[in-house]
Amino acid sequence: MTSLLDLFAVPPSLLALGEPTHGESAFLQIRNEVFLSLAEHGYRSIALESDRAAGLIADDFVQGSAAVPLDRALAEGFSHGFGAAPANRDLLLRMREWNTGRPAAERLTFHGFDAPLELEGAPSPRRHLVRVCEFLDLDRSAIDDLVGDEAHWSDPAAIWEPGRSIGGSADAQRLRVIADDLLTELYLQAPRRPEGWQAAFVHAMSAVAVLRYHAAAAAPLTQEARFARLAGVRDALMAENLLAIRSMEAHRGPTVVFAHNTHLQRQMSTMTMAGTDLSWAGAGAIVSSLLGDRYAVIVGSLGASPALGIEAPALSTYEGRLQQDTGLPRYVRASDIEPAERRTHDYRYFPLDDATVAHADAVLHIPTGIDAATLAERILALPGVEQVVASQENGSPEGAWGDRFFHVGADRRQPFATIVEHDVPGFDEASQLDRPDVFRLNLDLGRAEFERLFGFPPKDFEEHRHEFDFARLDTVVPHPGYALYGFASIVMPGPHLLPEVDQLLAVAHARAVDRHERAVRRAAGQQE
């Protein structure tokens, strides 16, 4: 793939990389490669569409804190369930590895830039205000009294019924004053309390954000106008966080921001609800208007997604035209993209349209996400390949049902490739295949290719086992169970890795063809 920086005469200080839908891992996997590549060119931070306060925990892990293990960083360091994405695990680990032994100026920082809320609801500001009080050694009793029952704040009906929102109450108004006063006190105490100040400030701003959102929910507007207002307020809070992050990071280097296209696009966001056209400024529109050409946006485009059930696009659409010439991900300058039809929008995927392309700097198009079945089709396209799928009917153990085994010829004793989706307790658990939608490609490469890849022969694998993270995506590693026999494996190879996958498949397939042909010759000799 072309480097993102090849698209710009001057690297932007805030480089936005968008995805057109949540749930397609290929975008996150490519994002990881992009960010670590850009780190080599001076980018020092990444901001994700996740709660900013929660991101402090994830960053503690990235900075090497022994107090925050990986499991906690994933469970508490992300909002909206994003910590469950395998690619986000990899992102944190790779950032932590990069940071090891580096000076502060070169270390990578993780940020969330979302507010601590969902569009459909928001919690109370209690935990954020309490954190600030603890930092400042102030009494919290007034906050507890004013917050009261958490259920009044988290009531989902309050977002759609102004009369049920607590945002306009006297207690909520008083809490907004307290939050503002705490911000003032934080600045007053900054010279005396520099350690931990930045985290306390993030929590104070998170409390303010929650209270602003509840106040917007209490406004007496029609349902349609309320939706647009709340969407706009959330994006405004995101923009405020992005600008604050850039202010923090400006002296260290540029920042990558990754989120849904709708939060990063320069043009206004629009939606039709109950026959009413709604419009609001997204975070990208706000930030772009303030940063000018220091902000650049590459919007994501997707052909098909087996994981989400999204079929290939019609050739007349933007997406269809973008994948006519290649089956691999690629960047295309927006100015080089000809007008095309808009793909049908079904809320799983937000398609490219004239405005999105016109206001973007470039498009990252991914022709298809990769799942186990898609990868199997690629293997079956090789000459003479047959597939066996483990099942109850063919006597396979239950723990292996659905796993795929690929052979050349009638010999079923030694597959040259397998695709597995299950751990084998007590034997093969290092790849963490029991995570949702995770699979692994295994390849019989033989001694010579194995040694070329890893720098040591298969017989020495155990001496090197500790060097590998077998659960990392997009990485060719020795097979955790069969490396001694020359097997390698890749967990969830993304579409950008397909050329390397094809090269390794060719090696494994050629070995299988050679074994089959030798077996045929032996059988013919015995008959003679």
Side-chain angles (χ1 to χ4, degrees):
M1 288 176 63
T2 302
S3 168
L4 274 184
L5 294 184
D6 292 340
L7 301 170
F8 305 101
V10 178
S13 59
L14 187 58
L15 176 55
L17 181 62
E19 60 176 349
T21 182
H22 291 317
E24 174 47 68
S25 181
F27 284 99
L28 280 66
Q29 291 171 244
I30 289 177
R31 172 207 66 193
N32 291 355
E33 299 304 319
V34 166
F35 178 54
L36 271 296
S37 173
L38 291 175
E40 301 284 354
H41 297 276
Y43 280 74
R44 292 292 176 258
S45 54
I46 188 168
L48 304 190
E49 183 187 339
S50 184
D51 174 19
R52 189 178 179 198
L56 297 171
I57 298 172
D59 189 58
D60 281 345
F61 174 83
V62 165
Q63 302 309 321
S65 171
V68 180
L70 178 60
D71 287 350
R72 183 187 171 204
L74 293 172
E76 302 177 25
F78 293 84
S79 60
H80 304 84
F82 292 149
N88 282 336
R89 169 196 180 273
D90 287 6
L91 176 65
L92 297 190
L93 285 169
R94 294 179 70 176
M95 291 176 68
R96 182 172 171 134
E97 289 168 5
W98 169 282
N99 286 342
T100 301
R102 293 182 186 266
E106 297 179 11
R107 294 169 73 87
L108 304 179
T109 305
F110 178 95
H111 298 279
F113 75 94
D114 202 352
L117 50 86
E118 300 276 1
L119 185 61
E120 298 85 1
S124 87
R126 186 197 306 271
R127 71 183 182 94
H128 301 294
L129 293 174
V130 167
R131 286 288 298 273
V132 181
C133 287
E134 290 173 346
F135 176 77
L136 294 171
D137 296 322
L138 298 175
D139 180 59
R140 58 176 279 182
S141 58
I143 292 169
D144 287 327
D145 291 341
L146 290 168
V147 170
D149 186 354
E150 293 282 345
H152 293 313
W153 297 86
S154 58
D155 179 10
I159 297 300
W160 305 109
E161 300 176 32
R164 298 183 63 165
S165 174
I166 200 171
S169 68
D171 287 348
Q173 295 299 321
R174 176 59 185 152
L175 284 166
R176 292 185 74 180
V177 173
I178 290 176
D180 189 66
D181 288 345
L182 287 174
L183 277 170
T184 301
E185 190 63 25
L186 274 175
Y187 281 109
L188 290 171
Q189 294 293 328
R192 303 182 188 91
R193 300 170 182 261
E195 186 70 26
W197 188 92
Q198 194 60 244
F201 178 78
V202 168
H203 279 283
M205 291 305 299
S206 295
V208 170
V210 166
L211 289 164
R212 286 175 182 169
Y213 197 77
H214 280 292
L221 302 173
T222 65
Q223 189 172 38
E224 294 77 18
R226 282 165 61 74
F227 179 89
R229 176 65 179 172
L230 290 173
V233 168
R234 183 188 178 197
D235 270 300
L237 297 171
M238 286 181 166
E240 183 177 34
N241 283 335
L242 278 177
L243 293 169
I245 290 166
R246 274 310 303 149
S247 178
M248 289 172 54
E249 296 286 352
H251 69 290
R252 297 194 328 114
T255 300
V256 172
V257 54
F258 179 80
H260 198 286
N261 287 342
T262 55
H263 294 305
L264 301 179
Q265 64 191 27
R266 285 193 178 93
Q267 77 273 22
M268 299 288 283
S269 298
T270 59
M271 177 176 285
T272 301
M273 179 180 288
T276 301
D277 292 331
L278 308 175
S279 179
W280 65 92
I286 297 169
V287 171
S288 177
S289 69
L290 298 174
L291 295 185
D293 59 7
R294 288 174 291 167
Y295 179 78
V297 58
I298 291 81
V299 297
S301 168
L302 177 64
S305 172
L308 299 177
I310 297 174
E311 301 292 336
L315 294 179
S316 57
T317 64
Y318 278 105
E319 291 83 357
R321 291 186 179 182
L322 283 169
Q323 63 188 54
Q324 285 184 24
D325 300 326
T326 179
L328 297 175
R330 62 171 178 153
Y331 299 108
V332 183
R333 286 185 173 86
S335 58
D336 294 337
I337 299 176
E338 297 292 333
E341 294 178 6
R342 183 177 185 271
R343 194 176 184 178
T344 302
H345 177 198
D346 66 359
Y347 297 96
R348 289 176 301 173
Y349 173 78
F350 285 67
L352 295 180
D353 56 25
D354 295 344
T356 302
V357 173
H359 290 87
D361 294 285
V363 171
L364 166 61
H365 181 71
I366 297 178
T368 183
I370 304 296
D371 68 347
T374 303
L375 194 57
E377 291 176 3
R378 203 173 191 89
I379 299 172
L380 286 169
L382 296 170
V385 175
E386 298 179 16
Q387 174 184 243
V388 174
V389 180
S391 65
Q392 183 177 15
E393 288 72 23
N394 58 29
S396 301
E398 184 176 355
W401 291 352
D403 290 347
R404 297 168 169 86
F405 301 82
F406 301 91
H407 309 263
V408 172
D411 182 5
R412 295 290 182 267
R413 289 176 298 177
Q414 184 174 339
F416 73 90
T418 66
I419 300 175
V420 299
E421 303 178 54
H422 312 281
D423 287 334
V424 180
F427 170 68
D428 183 3
E429 300 175 279
S431 299
Q432 301 178 25
L433 298 178
D434 285 345
R435 292 175 287 174
D437 303 319
V438 172
F439 62 94
R440 186 182 69 203
L441 171 66
N442 307 309
L443 296 166
D444 175 14
L445 300 180
R447 184 192 60 78
E449 182 67 12
F450 185 100
E451 187 167 357
R452 184 192 71 80
L453 278 174
F454 304 118
F456 57 87
K459 66 182 179 63
D460 293 342
F461 165 65
E462 289 301 334
E463 299 173 20
H464 295 270
R465 178 186 285 271
H466 66 281
E467 300 171 9
F468 299 96
D469 176 2
F470 298 102
R472 180 170 294 180
L473 315 187
D474 294 316
T475 307
V476 184
V477 297
H479 189 291
Y482 295 111
L484 292 174
Y485 305 101
F487 273 77
S489 62
I490 313 171
V491 176
M492 287 183 69
H496 57 296
L497 206 67
L498 288 178
E500 184 171 2
V501 168
D502 286 343
Q503 291 175 7
L504 296 176
L505 276 172
V507 172
H509 178 256
R511 284 173 50 80
V513 170
D514 182 62
R515 280 196 304 271
H516 173 63
E517 291 177 348
R518 283 188 283 114
V520 170
R521 288 195 297 269
R522 284 197 302 270
Q526 292 172 358
Q527 289 177 359
E528 293 175 1

